[in-house]
Amino acid sequence: MFDAIRSFFRPRPNTLLPAVPEGERYYLIGDIHGRLDLFKAMVAAIEEDEAARAGKDTQVVLLGDLVDRGHDSAGVVNLARHWQTQRVVRVLAGNHEQMMLDAFKKPEFLRHFLKHGGRETLLSYGLSKKQFNTMSLDELFEALPQLISQAERDYIATFEDYIVAGDYLFVHAGIDPAAPITEQKRSDLLWIRDRFLSHEGPLDKVVVHGHTIFNKVMDCGNRIGIDTGAFRSGVLSALVLEGDQRRIIQTIQSDGGPVEVFHGGRGQ
């Protein structure tokens, strides 16, 4: 089962592999999208993995899109905040967090948010399905500040744009290949697709990103995509970086069964 994984990450001959700084370990988690069940299992799996591999300066990085589409966005945000009280957990801004915050500005932005999974987010914050179905867009807009507190919004607004670690850059969507890292537009960091995904040449850093769904962790050399579509596939993926080594942890729920943990991934 793991032969494909081993060959996938096998180093090319006579090449210097990208690495994170010596003594550091990173757990990078792809788009969660309200799947609290998979996120809880991932937290437990990472804590167990970390306890078995002590002696490193460890950081967990969530690559954005904690909210929308899945059934418990509020629970995911709450668990992320709680985990931050226990270890270094950094959270990147995703385009869905930006849509969520923009929804408070005017009804047209709220309509856009609702079309892209915001309905499920509002329900997770306590709005009933009956209320949602009977309220007009303007009524929903007026109710938002009472539904999602200012403190919650302030917390989400603190999510970072990107993180650099050695030879890697961690970001939600990707980067503009034509611009230096320090000159990236925030809109690209949160939304970019084709110009980034189609770029085959080297980048300033190996970019680890989410935003675009793949059916497996996708290592393209200059970038690694780790969004495996948790909200619809039932597969949440984490990439572990330590020195020049890479590992995968996945939490998987299928056919209504219990969430299972796989080290190295399943079916890749």
Side-chain angles (χ1 to χ4, degrees):
M1 176 172 63
F2 299 127
D3 289 345
I5 291 288
R6 285 191 286 268
S7 63
F8 191 68
F9 285 136
R10 186 175 296 138
R12 299 179 179 87
N14 302 317
T15 59
L16 185 63
L17 295 176
V20 296
E22 183 68 26
E24 297 182 6
R25 180 185 300 123
Y26 290 85
Y27 294 90
L28 309 161
I29 303 176
D31 303 31
I32 302 167
H33 275 307
R35 286 299 301 261
L36 181 60
D37 55 344
L38 299 177
F39 186 35
K40 281 183 176 178
M42 182 63 77
V43 171
I46 288 175
E47 290 296 340
E48 182 178 351
D49 188 82
E50 171 68 8
R53 303 168 185 270
K56 297 288 183 179
D57 181 7
T58 296
Q59 292 189 32
V60 176
V61 180
L62 311 184
L63 293 186
D65 280 8
L66 281 64
V67 302
D68 296 350
R69 294 177 170 163
H71 294 302
D72 201 348
S73 294
V76 169
V77 173
N78 184 62
L79 179 54
R81 291 184 84 165
H82 176 71
W83 204 12
Q84 286 178 317
T85 67
Q86 300 177 320
R87 68 165 57 255
V88 178
V89 178
R90 301 172 69 177
V91 187
L92 298 181
N95 61 308
H96 281 262
E97 280 80 36
Q98 188 60 58
M99 284 191 289
M100 179 180 177
L101 296 177
D102 286 345
F104 289 82
K105 297 177 180 178
K106 56 184 179 178
E108 290 80 4
F109 291 166
L110 172 59
R111 189 192 307 276
H112 182 69
F113 172 59
L114 295 175
K115 286 182 178 179
H116 293 85
R119 172 185 177 274
E120 289 76 16
T121 296
L122 297 188
L123 296 180
S124 76
Y125 277 95
L127 189 70
S128 72
K129 290 182 180 180
K130 182 178 180 179
Q131 289 173 315
F132 181 86
N133 291 334
T134 57
M135 294 173 74
S136 69
L137 183 67
D138 287 337
E139 288 172 334
L140 277 173
F141 182 73
E142 291 298 321
L144 278 183
Q146 289 73 47
L147 193 62
I148 303 175
S149 71
Q150 184 65 56
E152 187 86 338
R153 285 176 273 151
D154 289 345
Y155 169 67
I156 292 171
T158 66
F159 292 178
E160 302 176 67
D161 289 341
Y162 67 85
I163 296 170
V164 174
D167 299 320
Y168 290 91
L169 181 142
F170 313 142
V171 67
H172 175 64
I175 62 171
D176 177 357
I181 292 172
T182 56
E183 297 178 14
Q184 294 289 320
K185 296 178 181 178
R186 191 172 190 270
S187 59
D188 283 335
L189 301 176
L190 271 58
W191 288 92
I192 197 169
R193 288 198 198 274
D194 291 346
R195 283 180 295 126
F196 170 64
L197 298 176
S198 64
H199 183 76
E200 297 182 351
L203 298 165
D204 289 346
K205 304 283 184 181
V206 176
V207 178
V208 182
H209 66 96
H211 187 57
T212 299
I213 295 174
F214 302 101
N215 60 10
K216 63 180 181 179
V217 173
M218 185 65 68
D219 184 349
C220 296
N222 59 357
R223 63 176 179 83
I224 304 174
I226 65 169
D227 179 4
T228 46
F231 74 94
R232 70 183 186 199
S233 68
V235 180
L236 179 64
S237 296
L239 176 67
V240 188
L241 300 176
E242 185 173 350
D244 62 4
Q245 300 300 300
R246 300 170 180 168
R247 297 184 284 119
I248 297 173
I249 301 174
Q250 290 181 322
T251 54
I252 301 175
Q253 190 274 332
S254 58
D255 300 324
V259 177
E260 299 179 273
V261 177
F262 292 87
H263 292 263
R266 187 176 74 173
Q268 300 190 33

